[in-house]
Amino acid sequence: MATAKRTRTIGASPEELWELISDPHHMPRWWPGVKRMEDVSEDRWTQVFTTKKGRAVRVDFHLLQSDPPGAGGDPPGVRAWEQEVEATPFERVLAESIIEIVLEPDEAGTLVTLTQRQKLRGYSRTGGFLLRRATKEKLAEALDGLEVLLTPR
């Protein structure tokens, strides 16, 4: 299983971050490459990406966990979702892909930890180290997006 993790302190409260990350409609504002959202419901959504050739690629997700931060950040906020890979073109490469965000209070704001676990299939398993590197870069970009949106200027 390829697991990538990035952590950063963002100068906003856990509640401010939760408001942003718990609404999939906001994902185009901070998640890398997402052009728009479709079919958003409480526990399912579709992210639409555009390839370099301009073709739209739709990726479906469902919610696994959504626990807002408690008073004073105890317990921490946790939100996790899973890509639906069965019966999609992604099934050839992925057996599972789960993204988790944990929000914990910090002196300077909120400690945000983004983790993505991907279980590869077949021959794709040999490229796990490349996938992990690319995923770490994507998670860092997502943290950049959150930071830009929520850090006072």
Side-chain angles (χ1 to χ4, degrees):
M1 180 165 311
T3 300
K5 182 186 281 191
R6 285 288 180 250
T7 300
R8 182 179 305 167
T9 297
I10 295 179
S13 71
E15 293 76 21
E16 290 172 302
L17 275 150
W18 185 260
E19 189 175 319
L20 188 64
I21 69 166
S22 65
D23 184 352
H25 287 100
H26 290 295
M27 285 185 140
R29 298 174 62 202
W30 65 275
W31 193 260
V34 176
K35 297 301 177 196
R36 68 177 185 277
M37 302 297 288
E38 293 180 352
D39 302 324
V40 175
S41 68
E42 192 173 309
D43 62 348
R44 302 185 111 48
W45 58 87
T46 300
Q47 292 178 344
V48 180
F49 297 85
T50 305
T51 66
K52 290 178 183 175
K53 294 184 178 182
R55 196 175 121 235
V57 176
R58 288 168 176 72
V59 184
D60 298 317
F61 294 90
H62 64 270
L63 190 62
L64 295 175
Q65 182 178 359
S66 187
D67 300 322
D74 188 32
V78 179
R79 185 148 171 105
W81 59 92
E82 181 175 21
Q83 182 178 342
E84 296 177 2
V85 295
E86 194 171 315
T88 72
F90 298 103
E91 185 178 41
R92 292 189 316 259
V93 177
L94 288 172
E96 177 182 87
S97 179
I98 296 173
I99 298 167
E100 178 186 75
I101 302 178
V102 177
L103 306 176
E104 299 176 89
D106 186 73
E107 292 175 8
T110 303
L111 185 66
V112 181
T113 302
L114 267 172
T115 306
Q116 185 164 6
R117 293 183 306 277
Q118 296 171 307
K119 189 181 225 179
L120 300 173
R121 269 187 212 270
Y123 186 69
S124 299
R125 289 181 290 189
T126 61
F129 69 96
L130 293 172
L131 178 66
R132 194 172 10 263
R133 184 176 349 157
T135 302
K136 284 180 180 180
E137 290 173 14
K138 180 177 72 172
L139 297 178
E141 285 180 50
L143 289 170
D144 291 344
L146 289 171
E147 193 167 35
V148 165
L149 288 171
L150 292 170
T151 301
R153 296 170 203 217

